[in-house]
Amino acid sequence: MDIPFVKLHGLKNSYIFVDLFQFQLEEESLAPLAIAVADRNTGIGSDGLILIHPSDTCDVGMRIFNLDGSEAMNCGNGLRCVAKYAYENNIVESDTFTIQTKAGQVEAQVHGTRAHVQEVTVDMGAPVLQRELIPMQGAPAQQVVAEDFQAGEEQLLVTAVSMGNPHAVFFVDNIDDAPLYTQGPVITNDPRFPDGVNVEFIEMLSNREMHFRVWERGSGVTQACGTGACAAVVAAILNGKAPYGEEVTVHLSGGDLFIRWEKDGSVWMRGAAEKTVSGTFHWERGA
Ligand SMILES: N[C@H](CCC[C@H](N)C(=O)O)C(=O)O
């Protein structure tokens, strides 16, 4: 099968995009295709697969699969890339439009020209904070803010936030000392998170700036995580480390995102999206 694709990334968090307005894929092929395209040796190399598809409820739809083939409900960097692709390829008319995700709909505004979108702002909607909806084991209606969390030898404090997908946020004094590679793979599969969890370590530089590292559910360490950056700013505000309603600069490995959380309202994410490669992926399923 020869599959047309475009590779785009949000701050080096890259995905292989297949445009289902132009090409059809069978549902059962999606998870194995995500694994195949993400492989840097036998595939194209990415953090996963994203489908751009027609939607009955929004101007365009997005589905996202991690590099292990698991499907996620949302993807912040992916949303900015979908918005860029949809506008540059005339899938949408206006520079502001809605995108359907498995977590619900979001509104995106592209910045740039029809020929080249440089940056995208996304209204990510309100975070979900009730423990049972993260989901995280424990008293259902409670929020999880700076709660004791033993991980191996590490005694940590966790703040849990869902942006449609689950995030466990930990504040550290020095980002370079964060137990990303030792505790990331353990916490992501911790049974206290029945659906697994994305794991973020944060060092606050001021009340408007932070360092950020992530171990993503289903993809491991990535260069950036848009929903994770949103969750990190929400967690900082819940812990009194950042203000409501003001843009916080999040320094991820792959670059900066600008995030604000309006009190009792939406989380807004602004950042770049770039296209790198397009072509045809020759795939013999099961080969
Ligand atoms: N690994 C995530 C999906 C990708 C999210 C991330 N790449 C982003 O930009 O938000 C999960 O399983 O929930």
Side-chain angles (χ1 to χ4, degrees), residues 13 15 64 66 72 74-77 165 198 216-217 224-228:
N13 179 211
Y15 291 90
I64 179 235
N66 293 308
N74 204 0
C75 178
N77 289 317
N165 58 350
N198 298 286
E216 283 200 32
R217 177 181 63 172
C225 178
T227 51

Side-chain angles (χ1 to χ4, degrees), residues 10 13 15 47 64-66 70-80 124 164-167 197-198 215-220 222 224-229 257 269:
N13 179 211
Y15 291 90
D47 295 318
I64 179 235
F65 293 79
N66 293 308
S70 61
E71 183 169 10
M73 302 288 276
N74 204 0
C75 178
N77 289 317
L79 281 166
R80 296 197 318 279
M124 298 290 285
N165 58 350
H167 296 270
V197 71
N198 298 286
W215 180 285
E216 283 200 32
R217 177 181 63 172
S219 291
T222 60
C225 178
T227 51
L257 282 176
M269 169 187 63

Side-chain angles (χ1 to χ4, degrees), residues 78-157:
L79 281 166
R80 296 197 318 279
C81 293
V82 166
K84 172 185 175 75
Y85 179 91
Y87 188 68
E88 290 180 354
N89 290 277
N90 298 301
I91 290 175
V92 296
E93 286 307 310
S94 164
D95 63 1
T96 302
F97 47 90
T98 54
I99 305 175
Q100 179 191 355
T101 75
K102 286 229 159 180
Q105 77 174 52
V106 300
E107 184 166 279
Q109 180 178 16
V110 296
H111 312 289
T113 64
R114 185 68 79 172
H116 183 71
V117 169
Q118 285 170 315
E119 193 177 68
V120 182
T121 299
V122 184
D123 173 353
M124 298 290 285
V128 170
L129 301 174
Q130 298 91 324
R131 183 192 288 266
E132 63 186 337
L133 301 178
I134 301 291
M136 184 178 181
Q137 286 178 356
Q142 230 184 17
Q143 291 189 1
V144 182
V145 179
E147 187 174 289
D148 285 333
F149 189 91
Q150 180 80 31
E153 299 301 309
E154 305 268 353
Q155 186 53 50
L156 304 169
L157 293 175

